[in-house]
Amino acid sequence: MTEVDLAQPAADFAAHLHSQGFRLTPQRHLILEAVRQASDHVTPEDVYQLVHRQNPTISRATIYRTLDFLCEMRLIHALYWGGQMYYEITANEPHHHLVCRICGRMAECEHDLLQVLFEAVEKKHHFTIDMDHVALFGLCQRCRGSRQKSRQ
């Protein structure tokens, strides 16, 4: 599947879905726009609240199903951390996240760093990684520093 430039108008989303054999229904459009217009990662509840203001007949079940569908179509990405699912619009270029297990802070990580790993896996295992969104969990600089101080 190809990714689409989400700076493009809704007609391009419709064309992308149509090329995969699907339609951009009014519900899908509202949900996609709610994720797209968010300034940060959004939870399904955030999406529900935004969409429900515009169309009170859309249920939470529709929100969840549509978010899953939009992920399958690679129009949005999902990230699970801290016991919660978060969504964001797919970028034109692959991007990844570094997520701190202690404070939950998240930072973006450039694709070229992981591309080296992807290429090594392909070379050694003859396996092509086709993910363009990876979350790596660990400790941020601040939490790592705090942890080291507490051990001393």
Side-chain angles (χ1 to χ4, degrees), residues 44-61:
E45 185 61 26
D46 295 334
V47 173
Y48 175 76
Q49 294 301 325
L50 292 166
V51 169
H52 195 258
R53 283 185 216 138
Q54 295 178 2
N55 184 342
T57 64
I58 295 179
S59 69
R60 281 182 173 84

Side-chain angles (χ1 to χ4, degrees), residues 8-125:
Q8 298 298 318
D12 290 350
F13 303 137
H16 176 74
L17 289 175
H18 185 72
S19 73
Q20 305 297 318
F22 299 99
R23 294 182 310 120
L24 181 61
T25 64
Q27 294 87 349
R28 290 174 180 163
H29 183 259
L30 277 174
I31 293 165
L32 183 59
E33 285 301 311
V35 176
R36 187 164 82 148
Q37 292 175 6
S39 60
D40 200 2
H41 300 85
V42 292
T43 65
E45 185 61 26
D46 295 334
V47 173
Y48 175 76
Q49 294 301 325
L50 292 166
V51 169
H52 195 258
R53 283 185 216 138
Q54 295 178 2
N55 184 342
T57 64
I58 295 179
S59 69
R60 281 182 173 84
T62 298
I63 300 289
Y64 279 94
R65 279 194 310 271
T66 303
L67 289 170
D68 286 345
F69 171 78
L70 294 172
C71 284
E72 289 174 25
M73 295 292 106
R74 295 190 175 193
L75 295 174
I76 64 174
H77 288 302
L79 174 64
Y80 182 81
W81 95 86
Q84 178 66 56
M85 191 66 84
Y86 293 86
Y87 296 90
E88 69 177 344
I89 275 307
T90 300
N92 292 333
E93 296 294 320
H95 83 273
H96 311 287
H97 293 102
L98 306 174
V99 182
C100 181
R101 288 193 185 279
I102 293 176
C103 70
R105 183 177 294 124
M106 186 174 59
E108 291 197 8
C109 176
E110 301 80 17
H111 181 66
D112 59 340
L113 294 173
L114 290 177
Q115 185 64 37
V116 173
L117 171 65
F118 290 3
E119 290 168 1
V121 167
E122 184 166 7
K123 185 176 181 181
K124 183 171 183 172
H125 297 283

Side-chain angles (χ1 to χ4, degrees), residues 119-133:
E119 290 168 1
V121 167
E122 184 166 7
K123 185 176 181 181
K124 183 171 183 172
H125 297 283
H126 307 287
F127 183 84
T128 301
I129 298 172
D130 67 357
M131 293 183 70
D132 49 14
H133 184 252

